[in-house]
Amino acid sequence: MSCIDEDLIQQYIDEEVQAEESERITRHLAVCPGCAKLVAERRQWALSMKRMIREVADEPVVVPPFVAPAKSVPLGSLRKRLVLALSAACLLAFFVLHWNHPSAEKSAIEDELTILQHSDWPVDANQPFSQQGLQINLIDPEGNVTGYVLE
Amino acid sequence: MKAFDQLYQKHYPTVFRVAVKMLGDSDEAADVVQEVFLTLFQTMEKGMVVEYPLSWLYRTTLNKCIDKQKYNGRFQKLETAPEGQVEFQSIEKQETRIRVQRALGKLKPVERALAVMYSESLSYKEMAEATGIRFSSVGKTLSRTLKKLEAELKNKKYELY
């Protein structure tokens, strides 16, 4: 029967007890041959256990070269980029097709009216508007000029 | 990455030995160790700091070994000595190795991890960090694990003959 707890003996031989406790155990072992014998046996036993476990893998180890993985773009990021690129292409295609469409050009020309304004028209500011003899000429897409005189 | 290369060269043998003791098979151990270092490489590549690399390596290796054993479904590999090495070993050493491998295979994964780390002379603090056992319980758990291992070894000695 030992005076010291077996778990504590394990910690003592592994040098994992507090300094104060360690000193107390050492002092006890000096005066208690039974415990001293047990601790010596446990120390030998622990060493032999360590050695046996080590022998499971005691061959020299050759370190193989480490092959770093190739840099890969995460799938999520790739998908996001693809969606954005497709959206941009669709928008570009829409604008190109819309503005270059012949009917769109035609309708723009048909609706176009040119107003010629002559700023050097003799205007008498003291006369009423109806007596200014102001003329507005409208030119349609066919080139016909229609004049309107303000009276 | 220079820092990673240094860690790899320095710690590969230790990590490999731990994996062999845990798995009992050097090919599987090599696979696990590659996975462990790949994880470390990716962690460092992201700029994350691994404060205690050796503790991190032990912890990751033990966890991966335990996962591997669960995946393999029960330690058949521990029953045999590594192929190709048998002829170079003495019969006695070979028998001892088989006995220890079998006995380790009978322990619970955490107990086996403790025994393996004890053989690597790790401190109780490092064992606690790697296994998740409370620091104050390491001594007691280790003491019981070693006794259990001893009992298994005694049984295996008779089984072998």
Side-chain angles (χ1 to χ4, degrees), chain A residues 6-7 10-11 14 16 42 45-46 49-50 52-59 63-64 66 68-69, chain B residues 4 8 12 17 38 41 89 93 97 100-101 118-119 121 123-124 140 143-144 146-147 149-150 153:
Chain A
E6 285 208 23
D7 297 337
Q10 181 68 47
Q11 291 171 42
D14 292 333
E16 291 278 357
R42 295 297 294 181
W45 172 78
M49 293 295 278
K50 271 188 186 181
M52 274 199 293
I53 300 170
R54 274 196 203 121
E55 279 179 7
V56 173
D58 62 349
E59 282 82 21
V63 181
F66 179 78
Chain B
F4 172 80
Y8 181 75
Y12 184 94
R17 276 199 303 272
L38 183 64
F41 179 85
Q89 297 166 4
K93 195 173 176 185
R97 175 179 285 199
V100 176
Q101 282 181 346
Y118 188 62
S119 74
S121 299
S123 68
Y124 283 12
K140 190 186 282 183
S143 172
R144 287 168 194 184
L146 292 177
K147 275 184 195 163
L149 186 64
E150 186 189 28
L153 282 167

Side-chain angles (χ1 to χ4, degrees), chain A residues 16 38 65 70 95 102 119 128-129 142 151:
Chain A
E16 291 278 357
L38 182 69
F95 282 116
S119 57
F129 203 68
E142 280 75 33
E151 292 178 354

Side-chain angles (χ1 to χ4, degrees), chain B residues 7-160:
Chain B
L7 286 175
Y8 181 75
Q9 292 297 329
K10 187 178 175 189
H11 297 307
Y12 184 94
T14 311
V15 176
F16 180 77
R17 276 199 303 272
V18 167
V20 170
K21 287 176 201 169
M22 285 294 289
L23 296 167
D25 181 282
S26 50
D27 290 337
E28 284 198 343
D31 289 346
V32 165
V33 176
Q34 274 300 310
E35 274 180 45
V36 169
F37 277 103
L38 183 64
T39 311
L40 178 66
F41 179 85
Q42 287 166 340
T43 306
M44 291 174 78
E45 201 180 33
K46 284 176 195 165
M48 292 161 76
V49 178
V50 179
E51 208 168 345
Y52 302 106
L54 190 56
S55 292
W56 186 95
L57 285 168
Y58 273 121
R59 192 169 57 247
T60 312
T61 306
L62 293 173
N63 287 335
K64 282 196 186 289
C65 287
I66 290 167
D67 288 347
K68 184 96 176 167
Q69 284 166 338
K70 280 181 189 164
Y71 179 78
N72 286 350
R74 303 311 74 175
F75 328 126
Q76 310 96 317
K77 292 283 183 182
L78 289 174
E79 299 294 324
T80 55
E83 287 174 21
Q85 296 172 3
V86 176
E87 56 189 313
F88 301 112
Q89 297 166 4
S90 68
I91 299 290
E92 194 184 348
K93 195 173 176 185
Q94 190 184 318
E95 283 169 356
T96 306
R97 175 179 285 199
I98 292 170
R99 275 199 299 133
V100 176
Q101 282 181 346
R102 284 180 180 174
L104 282 171
K106 291 282 179 186
L107 298 177
K108 288 177 190 168
V110 175
E111 292 172 338
R112 188 163 56 251
L114 268 185
V116 167
M117 284 187 287
Y118 188 62
S119 74
E120 293 284 325
S121 299
L122 262 69
S123 68
Y124 283 12
K125 187 170 177 282
E126 287 168 315
M127 291 186 204
E129 280 171 5
T131 55
I133 298 174
R134 275 188 299 133
F135 175 70
S136 56
S137 307
V138 171
K140 190 186 282 183
T141 316
L142 179 66
S143 172
R144 287 168 194 184
T145 299
L146 292 177
K147 275 184 195 163
K148 202 171 163 183
L149 186 64
E150 186 189 28
E152 288 293 340
L153 282 167
K154 279 179 182 167
N155 286 339
K156 296 293 168 194
K157 195 168 185 177
Y158 293 113
E159 275 179 28
L160 205 65

Side-chain angles (χ1 to χ4, degrees), chain A residues 94-130:
Chain A
F94 172 77
F95 282 116
V96 168
L97 290 173
H98 179 76
W99 296 116
N100 287 343
H101 197 274
S103 65
E105 197 178 347
K106 194 180 170 191
S107 68
I109 292 169
E110 278 171 359
D111 295 342
E112 189 179 300
L113 287 172
T114 310
I115 299 174
L116 297 176
Q117 184 183 352
H118 297 278
S119 57
D120 56 347
W121 196 272
V123 176
D124 184 351
N126 293 321
Q127 295 296 320
F129 203 68
S130 57

Side-chain angles (χ1 to χ4, degrees), chain A residues 59-80:
Chain A
E59 282 82 21
V61 179
V62 179
V63 181
F66 179 78
V67 182
K71 290 230 173 194
S72 59
V73 180
L75 190 62
S77 167
L78 195 67
R79 196 174 290 161
K80 203 173 169 183

